[in-house]
Amino acid sequence: MNKRTLKKVLLLAAAFFTMPLAMAQHIFKGKVVDNITHQPIEYAFVYANKQSAATNKWGNFQLSLTSDTLTLTISYMGYQKRSVQVKSSDQRLVIALTHGQIDLNEVVISPHLSNNSFHTLSALDLNLRPVNSSQDLMRLVPGLFIAQHMGGGKAEQIFIRGFDADHGTDLNVSVDGLPVNMVSHVHGQGYADLHFLIPETVASYDFGKGPYYTDKGDFTTAGYLNYTTKDALDKSMISLEGGQFDTYRVAGVVDLLGGKAKQNGENAYIAGEYNYTNGPFQLAEHYKRFNLFGKYTKQLGQNNKLSISASTFSTSWTPSGEIPERVVAAGTTAIDDNGNAIKILAAANTINRFGTIDSAQNGKSTRTNAIVKLASDLENNWTLENQLYYTHYTFQLHVNSTFFAEDDVNGDERFQNETRDLYGYNGKLSKRSYLGNATLISTLGIGDRMDRTYGTLYSNVTEKYQFLDAISQGNIKENSLNAYVDETLETGKWLFNAGARVDYLHFNFHDSTQNKAVISPKVNIQYTANEQVQFYLKAGKGFHSNDARAVIGNSGLQTLPAAYGADLGLNWKPVPHLYINAALWYLYLQQEFVYTDDGTIEPGGKTRREGIDLSARYQLAKWLFADLNVNLAKPRLVGEANGENYLPLAPTFTSTGGLDFKFNNGINGGISYRYMHKRPGNGNYTLTADGYYVTDLKLNYTQKRYELGLSIENLLNTKWNEFEAEEVTQLRNETAPVDQMSFTPGTPFFAKLRVAFFF
C-alpha cells in the first residue's frame, strides 16, 4: 500500500469514527424562568428530537443534538406548556413560562431528576393544598404526623417512618440552608421549632426519607425536610383571619421594588404575621406569636446572585399540659366554680377533657435569623455557592407532667431556660461535565456550625417559680465541621450516585471536652425504563448526635450512633393522570435516645425498622384531584424478647388523603383526612396510645384582587387525643404514684374565616 492510499484509508477511518461526534456536535443551552418573577424554574422538562433534559436550580439546561434547527418543548407542572423554534445552537435561550392549570398529564418520569424522587409529590401538594401555618406545611410530607402537648408555642412532636422522633431527633429540618434543629437543647436533642417560618413566603419544599443524602448530616436518620423561601413575589397580599376560641391572625407579604426591578434581577419584599388564640381549653392559652421576615436578592452581572434575608420571631403561651387518663374519670380540675385558675387542685370538681392540672405552666421563645448567600455560575459549567448564617435564640418553659410523683410537698414543677447563638457556613462547588449524551455532576461541599448556649438551666422550682435545685446547669459549646464529595452520572436510562460525608463534632460542657468523627457513605441507583416507570435503590449511613451534657457526663451513651438504611422504590404512571410512588425500606440504629422528665437521657438500645410507603396522586377531572398516602412500619427494639421489644409511641400504620378541587370561576379547596392507628404506649404494650381519624375542610373563593376562605379543623367533631405518653403521676390527694397514659386532647370542631387582598 503506497502512502497516498494509506492516507485515504486513515482519513476514511477517522471520518467513520468521528461521525457520531459530528452528528451530535450541536449544543443547545438555555434557561427557563417564570414570566412574572423572572426567577429560574428548577426541574422543568425540556425535550426535542427524542432527547431530553431537566433544568437545574439556576433554570439552566443543555441538550446535545444532531440538528442545528429544531423545536424545543418545555413543560412544568402548574405552567402552560410552551414550544420554541430554535434556528441555531448559537442562540442563548431564555424561555419564560406562564402559570396555568395543574395537569398531571404534564408530569414526566425522567432520568434527570437525580435522586429527588419526591419532587413531583411536593410540587403537586404545595400547589393544590392551601396552607396558612407551619403545621400545615409539615403535614404536606407524606407519612409525617405532628402533635402538640404543651401548647402551641413549643416545637411539634414529630412522628415519621416508625419513629417517635421527639421534637426533631431523627428528622433534619432546615429553611434556606439554615438549620432549624438545635443541638443539646434544654428540652430535647434536635429540637426543631419551625414557627418562625411564615407560610406565605414559602416557594417550595423538598424532603427525603432515610439517610441517603450527602449534603444532609446530623439528625438525618428518618429523613430530612427543607423549605425554600421565595426570591420574588408575583403579587403582594394582606390577609385577615378570625375563628373560634378567640383565634385571630393577620399576615402580609409586600413587594418593595416592583416589576422593572424584577426585569433587572433585583427583588425585595417583607412579610409579617401575628397570631393569637385562647385555644379550646378551660384555661385560656393566651398564645401570642409575632413573625417578621425580609429578603433581598440581586443579580450581579449574568453569573452571580446575592441573597440576603433576615427574620425575627417571638411567642408566649400558657399551656394546659398533659392529663392522666384517670383524672377526667375522677373529675379533677384546676378551675374553680367561678372560672378562676388554681395552681394544683385535688380531685374535687367536675371538668371535661380540656381541663388543667397545673396552671403554673407557661413558655416563651424568640428566634432571630440572618442569612447571606452568594451563588456563582462560573465558566465551563462550574458553580459555587457560599452561605453564612446566624441565629440568636431564647427559650423558657415551666412544665409539670408528673405533678407530685417525685416531690409530694413542693410538686414536680420544672424550669427550662437557655439563650443561644448559632453561627454557620455552607459551601458547595459543583462541576457539570458532558460526556457525549452522558452527564457527570461532581460536587464538593464543606460546612461549619458553632453553637454557644448561655445560662442553660434545667431546675426544680415550686409552683410559684421559687428555685429549689438544679438538675443540670452550665454553658455549652458545640462545634460541627463537615465535608462531603458526591458524584452523579446520568447515562441513558441509568443514574448512578455515590458519595461520602465526614462529620467532626467537638463538645464542651463545664470546660470538659470530647471530640468524635463519623464517616457516612451513600449510594443511589436509578433506572428509568420509560416515561411511565422508574425504579430506584438507595442505601447509606447517617447519624444523630448525642446531647453535649450526656457526652461530657460520661453516661455510657454513644456520641454519634449510626443509622444504616436502604430503600427499594418505584415511580410509576400507569395512566396519564395517575402518579404513584412506592418503596420498601429498612433502617437500623445503633442506639435510640430516650428523653425523660427529669432531663436525663437514657440509652434506648439498638433498634430496627422496616416498612412500606405508598403515595398516589390522581387527577379525576380537569378540576378535581385525589391524593392518598399509606405508611406501614414495624419498629422493634433489637435484643429483647418478643412482646418486650415494642418502641413506645412509634407509629405502625398511618394514612392521609383527600380530594382537592380548583374551578375556573375561582372556587377551590378540599377535604382531607389523617389517620393514626393505635400503637404501644410502653415497651411491652400493656399500655396503649389510642389512634384517631380526623377530617379537615378548606373552601376558598379566589379572584384577581381578593380571596374569601373558610377552614374547618375536625369537621366531624371527633373526640381524639393529639398526644399520649406513659407517665408516672401523682395528684395532690393521692398517696402513691400511678403508672398510666397521660394525654393532650385534640382540637374539637374549629372554624376560621379568612379574607385576603392582593395588590
Side-chain angles (χ1 to χ4, degrees):
M1 183 180 297
N2 57 36
K3 290 184 178 180
R4 179 174 295 181
T5 303
L6 178 60
K7 185 176 181 179
K8 289 181 178 179
V9 171
L10 292 175
L11 287 173
L12 287 172
F16 177 79
F17 286 110
T18 59
M19 188 178 298
L21 297 176
M23 293 175 64
Q25 65 184 354
H26 301 292
I27 307 298
F28 293 84
K29 297 181 179 180
K31 183 175 185 177
V32 180
V33 300
D34 181 283
N35 74 314
I36 297 177
T37 65
H38 303 282
Q39 295 301 303
I41 298 175
E42 186 178 11
Y43 296 125
F45 189 65
V46 184
Y47 57 97
N49 296 351
K50 298 182 179 181
Q51 297 293 323
S52 63
T55 55
N56 61 15
K57 65 185 304 180
W58 300 77
N60 295 333
F61 69 89
Q62 177 171 315
L63 281 173
S64 178
L65 300 167
T66 58
S67 174
D68 196 34
T69 60
L70 48 80
T71 299
L72 285 177
T73 302
I74 305 95
S75 66
Y76 184 69
M77 186 168 53
Y79 287 83
Q80 297 176 16
K81 182 186 290 186
R82 184 175 175 186
S83 296
V84 177
Q85 297 287 333
V86 183
K87 296 182 179 180
S88 171
S89 58
D90 294 331
Q91 290 180 257
R92 176 61 182 178
L93 303 170
V94 178
I95 303 166
L97 297 185
T98 303
H99 283 275
Q101 290 186 325
I102 296 174
D103 188 350
L104 266 175
N105 191 41
E106 298 297 330
V107 174
V108 177
I109 292 178
S110 165
H112 308 295
L113 293 184
S114 300
N115 58 357
N116 192 349
S117 57
F118 301 114
H119 166 72
T120 298
L121 295 175
S122 62
L124 183 62
D125 293 347
L126 188 61
N127 273 283
L128 283 176
R129 186 147 295 168
V131 296
N132 66 354
S133 70
S134 58
Q135 293 94 328
D136 288 341
L137 286 167
M138 296 186 77
R139 289 192 181 110
L140 289 176
V141 178
L144 190 153
F145 278 62
I146 58 176
Q148 274 286 355
H149 61 98
M150 273 297 297
K154 237 179 59 172
E156 278 73 25
Q157 195 90 2
I158 298 172
F159 303 91
I160 185 171
R161 273 210 166 178
F163 279 90
D164 168 13
D166 200 61
H167 298 287
T169 307
D170 294 284
L171 184 72
N172 181 303
V173 185
S174 60
V175 175
D176 290 334
L178 171 75
V180 178
N181 303 80
M182 295 291 184
V183 297
S184 302
H185 190 276
V186 70
H187 193 74
Q189 180 70 332
Y191 187 86
D193 187 352
L194 198 62
H195 292 121
F196 68 87
L197 180 63
I198 302 174
E200 286 84 356
T201 66
V202 173
S204 63
Y205 73 100
D206 66 282
F207 65 93
K209 297 182 180 181
Y212 315 125
Y213 317 95
T214 54
D215 61 337
K216 301 296 185 295
D218 202 358
F219 309 118
T220 314
T221 53
Y224 78 89
L225 174 58
N226 175 67
Y227 294 96
T228 301
T229 58
K230 297 174 181 177
D231 284 344
L233 302 179
D234 55 357
K235 57 178 176 284
S236 298
M237 181 276 296
I238 299 291
S239 174
L240 306 173
E241 299 176 27
Q244 294 174 270
F245 316 126
D246 299 318
T247 300
Y248 309 98
R249 180 176 185 259
V250 180
V253 288
V254 179
D255 189 356
L256 299 178
L257 296 181
K260 186 174 181 180
K262 285 184 174 64
Q263 293 180 3
N264 295 326
E266 188 174 17
N267 293 275
Y269 69 91
I270 58 171
E273 176 187 35
Y274 175 76
N275 287 269
Y276 181 89
T277 186
N278 281 328
F281 299 91
Q282 288 185 338
L283 178 64
E285 189 174 349
H286 297 302
Y287 172 75
K288 302 174 185 177
R289 188 177 82 240
F290 175 76
N291 295 50
L292 186 64
F293 175 80
K295 192 170 187 179
Y296 173 79
T297 58
K298 171 68 174 177
Q299 192 71 33
L300 305 176
Q302 290 187 347
N303 299 324
N304 296 282
K305 184 175 182 179
L306 175 68
S307 173
I308 303 173
S309 64
S311 65
T312 188
F313 138 91
S314 64
T315 186
S316 63
W317 71 102
T318 303
S320 289
E322 303 162 28
I323 302 174
E325 289 178 342
R326 67 188 182 281
V327 169
V328 173
T332 304
T333 185
I335 306 297
D336 66 18
D337 293 334
N338 296 318
N340 298 317
I342 303 173
K343 293 300 183 183
I344 300 178
L345 192 68
N349 301 325
T350 59
I351 64 164
N352 59 28
R353 289 160 36 84
F354 294 92
T356 306
I357 302 296
D358 182 0
S359 60
Q361 300 176 95
N362 62 65
K364 295 179 181 179
S365 186
T366 67
R367 179 166 181 160
T368 300
N369 306 304
I371 303 173
V372 178
K373 184 175 182 179
L374 179 64
S376 303
D377 191 0
L378 308 176
E379 295 181 354
N380 300 317
N381 298 311
W382 285 91
T383 61
L384 176 64
E385 298 178 26
N386 290 285
Q387 180 186 49
L388 294 171
Y389 59 82
Y390 167 73
T391 290
H392 180 72
Y393 172 83
T394 68
F395 177 85
Q396 292 183 354
L397 183 69
H398 286 94
V399 58
N400 184 2
S401 56
T402 56
F403 312 118
F404 288 93
E406 297 185 21
D407 187 335
D408 60 4
V409 176
N410 297 300
D412 299 345
E413 195 85 33
R414 294 190 173 91
F415 177 57
Q416 300 173 346
N417 177 83
E418 77 168 43
T419 298
R420 177 187 301 253
D421 284 321
L422 166 62
Y423 312 84
Y425 167 78
N426 294 319
K428 185 168 72 171
L429 178 66
S430 296
K431 165 71 172 177
R432 182 180 290 261
S433 304
Y434 295 93
L435 313 171
N437 288 325
T439 304
L440 178 66
I441 304 171
S442 303
T443 302
L444 171 66
I446 57 173
D448 185 22
R449 168 178 173 163
M450 296 178 289
D451 287 76
R452 302 289 184 268
T453 75
Y454 315 97
T456 298
L457 172 65
Y458 196 178
S459 63
N460 291 306
V461 297
T462 68
E463 60 184 23
K464 295 183 179 180
Y465 311 141
Q466 295 174 335
F467 177 82
L468 293 175
D469 59 81
I471 299 171
S472 67
Q473 185 175 13
N475 299 333
I476 299 170
K477 298 179 182 179
E478 188 167 335
N479 287 16
S480 175
L481 290 167
N482 72 80
Y484 64 89
V485 292
D486 188 272
E487 296 285 346
T488 301
L489 175 65
E490 302 173 11
T491 176
K493 298 181 177 182
W494 289 92
L495 181 146
F496 301 94
N497 169 261
R501 176 187 180 95
V502 58
D503 289 86
Y504 176 82
L505 275 73
H506 172 80
F507 304 89
N508 184 305
F509 182 59
H510 286 165
D511 293 327
S512 296
T513 63
Q514 188 174 129
N515 304 310
K516 187 70 174 180
V518 59
I519 298 175
S520 306
K522 328 275 186 176
V523 63
N524 300 278
I525 301 173
Q526 177 181 284
Y527 175 73
T528 305
N530 48 52
E531 293 184 358
Q532 288 75 44
V533 181
Q534 183 181 76
F535 302 94
Y536 61 86
L537 172 65
K538 300 180 179 183
K541 176 186 175 185
F543 73 99
H544 57 193
S545 64
N546 202 346
D547 188 293
R549 292 165 294 177
V551 171
I552 300 302
N554 193 26
S555 60
L557 299 182
Q558 293 179 334
T559 304
L560 304 176
Y564 301 90
D567 270 49
L568 179 61
L570 165 74
N571 294 312
W572 184 28
K573 283 193 71 177
V575 294
H577 288 94
L578 174 62
Y579 180 87
I580 295 173
N581 170 262
L584 300 172
W585 58 270
Y586 174 88
L587 188 64
Y588 170 83
L589 262 68
Q590 285 184 335
Q591 188 177 96
E592 295 267 332
F593 291 146
V594 178
Y595 297 90
T596 63
D597 288 323
D598 64 1
T600 60
I601 303 172
E602 297 180 352
K606 299 176 181 179
T607 59
R608 179 184 66 249
R609 291 169 172 85
E610 51 200 13
I612 301 173
D613 289 343
L614 172 67
S615 294
R617 304 292 182 267
Y618 184 47
Q619 186 172 3
L620 290 87
K622 189 176 182 180
W623 53 272
L624 183 62
F625 301 82
D627 66 276
L628 174 68
N629 303 296
V630 177
N631 306 96
L632 302 173
K634 184 181 179 181
R636 291 292 186 270
L637 188 63
V638 175
E640 295 291 336
N642 289 337
E644 301 290 333
N645 60 344
Y646 294 100
L647 295 177
L649 306 186
T652 58
F653 174 28
T654 62
S655 179
T656 58
L659 292 171
D660 293 282
F661 53 88
K662 279 195 173 186
F663 293 106
N664 290 332
N665 61 5
I667 296 176
N668 62 89
I671 186 169
S672 61
Y673 77 87
R674 57 187 188 272
Y675 171 75
M676 171 83 77
H677 192 64
K678 67 178 183 179
R679 56 207 191 279
N682 57 1
N684 56 16
Y685 214 157
T686 56
L687 295 176
T688 300
D690 295 330
Y692 58 82
Y693 178 93
V694 178
T695 304
D696 300 325
L697 175 69
K698 292 185 179 180
L699 295 173
N700 297 300
Y701 179 64
T702 307
Q703 295 298 300
K704 184 177 181 180
R705 295 297 182 186
Y706 67 91
E707 181 177 75
L708 303 175
L710 168 67
S711 66
I712 299 176
E713 295 182 33
N714 197 358
L715 177 66
L716 304 179
N717 200 23
T718 300
K719 179 180 175 181
W720 65 293
N721 294 335
E722 183 169 2
F723 178 81
E724 292 185 76
E726 179 186 20
E727 296 283 4
V728 178
T729 59
Q730 182 178 337
L731 306 182
R732 187 188 292 273
N733 65 313
E734 293 179 327
T735 59
V738 179
D739 187 0
Q740 191 180 49
M741 298 298 289
S742 291
F743 72 94
T744 299
T747 303
F749 181 95
F750 173 40
K752 287 192 303 182
L753 292 174
R754 174 177 179 267
V755 57
F757 302 96
F758 309 121
F759 55 97

